[in-house]
Structure formats: C-alpha cells, structure tokens
Amino acid sequence: MRRAAAIDVGTNSVRLYVAELADGKRIEVERDLVITRMGEGVDASGSLGDDALRRTVEAVADYHRHARDAEADVVRIAATSAVRDSHDRDRFVAAVRDATGVVPEILTGEQEARCSFLGAVDELEGPGPFLVVDVGGGSTEFVRGSRTVEAWISLDVGSVRLTERHIRHDPPSEEELAGVGRDADAAVDQAKKAVGDGPANLVGLAGTATTLAAVSLGLRDYDRDRIHHAALGIDEIGRITAELGRMTNDQRRRLPVMPPGREDVIVAGAVILLRVMEGFGSSEMIVSESDLLDGLVLTLSGDA
C-alpha cells in the first residue's frame, strides 16, 4: 500500500489530489483547488506575469507540503497550457524546483489529452466510444476512444484565453459573446477533422463542466458525488449559459457553488462547451469529476 499525489498547474487553477493505491484501486485521501490565474496575460504577451507566477508557486509549495503531510511517497507536479505556451517557462520550473525540491513536468498537448482521457474513462461503464472534452483555462483537449485513446487534439481555446481575447464589458455584450462563439466554432471544426464526428458519448471535464453541473443541480454546497457522472442536456446547458451571460461578475460570484476566481471566465467556458455539443451533434454530456489529476495518479500507480 502506498500513497501518490499529483499537483496540476493549470491556466486558471492549481489542484491537488492525494490517493492511496492498493489492489489496483485508488482511495481518495485529499483533493483541493485554488484559483491563481497562472495564465493571466499569457495569450497576449507570451510570458508569465510576475504576480501570477508568485501566486502559483506559493500554491504549489503549499500543496506539496499538504501531500507530504498526507504521507505521499511520490508527488508529481505537472503544468499545462499557460506554462507550455510561455517563452519564459524556465522561470516556473526553477521557482517550483526551489520551493519544493521537485522538478515540475510541462505536459505536451498529447500528454495532457491522454492523461485527461485516462482519468475520465476509468470509472465509466460501457465500452464507448467516448469523446472526452477537457475545457481548461488556456486550451481544450478533444480525445476519442473506448478504453484507449484513438485520436486526440489539443487546441488553444479556453475559458481564460477567450475571456481575455474578447470580453471587455460586465456583463459581456452580444458582440463579445459572438466573438467567443466564433473562436469556439473554429476549434470544433478543427477537432472534428482530427478526432472524427461519429457517434460517441460526450464526457465533459474540468471546472467549467463541473460548475455548470452544480448550478443545474441547484446545489447550495459543492457536492462532488452528485456532480460526478451527472447528465446535462444541451437545452439545459444553453439555458445556464444564457443566464450566466446576463449576470455581472458580482452576481456570478454570489452563486453558492461558484469557485472564487471563476466568476469572470465561466461564461466563455460555457459557450465553448455549448458550441462543442452543437458542433458534434451531442444532445447530452456526462460530467466527470475524474480527469487529468486522476490520470496523473493512475500513471504513478502503474495501472496505466
């Protein structure tokens, strides 16, 4: 019996997952998230902001201490789109190494897609095929397969990136939302060419999908068990997207299940998911709480 931990450094958030590994099973010990907005300004400048880097490294160091306190034998720190896209990513690597003693990995788009798929399908029933869509802050991964990856693509559209690119008003204007939609549609067209558009069970991952599920379920407190594998129809996602788009950031912030720091980017993320469903002809999306983090730990466990 051993314990493994993974820290995911995303464009919008830093996340921790500690699991006990025994007899081919994972038993959750700790799971947490903090929004640090690592990708702030990266789309426009191509470099990591000093404040964003400081916030993020502090969060990584804190989670590394949590993992060690939880008696994790190994800690894997992996960064995705924001760090991957920055020309000064070595600053991040050096800062995290100095703060934790661990050299962080910068995942390629393929590695991110494969780990996300692995985590998503691990607990799903049925043979598939599945289309796993992971809407992050800086990128979105589209992965098709049954129990193994058959086709994938990682595209530079995400909730933070498209918010910074298009949204200037609070709440966003129709023209701004149309700009987000155009970028999302272009990404969907690329994805269909890469992974195909045949029938598949759509599985939505990451903070946008889970937050939409929490809103749809009318939760007063975040409940991972109720959100995990919840089914959302396209009409429901369209309704929530429109409702969130009419709210101000302050109104969204006051929603009981809105993670602090996500209120200003959730609309762009929701538009991306809605356009994915429309483009692939999916009437329903299964929301999975198991994702990249779970895939990272599964690869540590030797089960992948």
Side-chain angles (χ1 to χ4, degrees):
M1 186 180 298
R2 58 196 289 263
R3 287 187 176 183
I7 299 171
D8 164 34
V9 183
T11 300
N12 198 45
S13 63
V14 178
R15 302 185 299 152
L16 169 70
Y17 176 41
V18 183
E20 194 165 274
L21 311 174
D23 302 322
K25 296 181 180 179
R26 289 175 292 123
I27 302 171
E28 182 176 315
V29 176
E30 184 173 359
R31 193 184 291 261
D32 198 22
L33 171 151
V34 61
I35 290 179
T36 66
R37 196 61 61 84
M38 178 62 158
E40 189 173 60
V42 170
D43 185 59
S45 69
S47 62
L48 300 171
D50 292 341
D51 288 343
L53 180 62
R54 175 189 52 76
R55 292 192 301 265
T56 301
V57 173
E58 287 176 356
V60 171
D62 184 52
Y63 279 160
H64 182 262
R65 287 190 293 272
H66 273 273
R68 290 305 189 192
D69 289 344
E71 301 181 340
D73 302 292
V74 60
V75 181
R76 185 177 188 182
I77 302 173
T80 56
S81 176
V83 178
R84 183 168 66 228
D85 292 347
S86 63
H87 61 70
D88 56 350
R89 61 186 71 89
D90 290 348
R91 294 173 62 211
F92 168 81
V93 173
V96 170
R97 182 191 60 221
D98 291 345
T100 67
V102 177
V103 177
E105 305 168 57
I106 301 175
L107 300 182
T108 65
E110 179 176 5
Q111 288 172 321
E112 184 177 358
R114 289 183 180 276
C115 281
S116 294
F117 181 85
L118 180 64
V121 304
D122 182 52
E123 298 174 340
L124 286 174
E125 297 180 356
F130 302 105
L131 175 62
V132 174
V133 178
D134 186 344
V135 178
S139 67
T140 296
E141 282 66 49
F142 298 79
V143 196
R144 182 185 290 270
S146 293
R147 290 297 158 184
T148 58
V149 173
E150 297 168 8
W152 69 276
I153 190 171
S154 178
L155 297 171
D156 286 340
V157 292
S159 61
V160 174
R161 193 184 297 269
L162 295 195
T163 297
E164 290 185 350
R165 192 178 294 175
H166 294 289
I167 296 179
R168 299 289 180 270
H169 294 89
D170 179 24
S173 68
E174 290 185 9
E175 292 79 8
E176 290 166 347
L177 292 177
V180 174
R182 284 192 296 272
D183 281 5
D185 288 342
V188 169
D189 288 342
Q190 282 185 265
K192 288 164 68 174
K193 292 175 184 176
V195 304
D197 59 356
N201 298 313
L202 181 66
V203 183
L205 309 185
T208 294
T210 57
T211 301
L212 293 184
V215 172
S216 176
L217 291 166
L219 300 181
R220 300 298 302 173
D221 298 295
Y222 199 88
D223 187 335
R224 186 177 189 275
D225 291 338
R226 289 191 63 189
I227 292 168
H228 190 44
H229 293 171
L232 297 183
I234 189 170
D235 290 343
E236 176 68 353
I237 290 183
R239 181 190 69 79
I240 297 170
T241 300
E243 183 177 303
L244 292 172
R246 289 190 293 267
M247 293 180 179
T248 63
N249 286 336
D250 187 57
Q251 288 171 325
R252 290 185 222 107
R253 189 180 297 114
R254 292 201 298 267
L255 294 174
V257 292
M258 185 65 63
R262 194 179 300 284
E263 66 278 354
D264 60 332
V265 300
I266 186 65
V267 175
V271 170
I272 294 169
L273 270 180
L274 181 60
R275 295 304 180 96
V276 167
M277 294 186 76
E278 292 171 347
F280 279 94
S282 301
S283 61
E284 183 179 81
M285 175 182 70
I286 303 299
V287 177
S288 176
E289 283 274 9
S290 297
D291 55 21
L292 173 64
L293 267 179
D294 301 77
L296 290 169
V297 167
L298 279 168
T299 59
L300 287 173
S301 72
D303 294 335

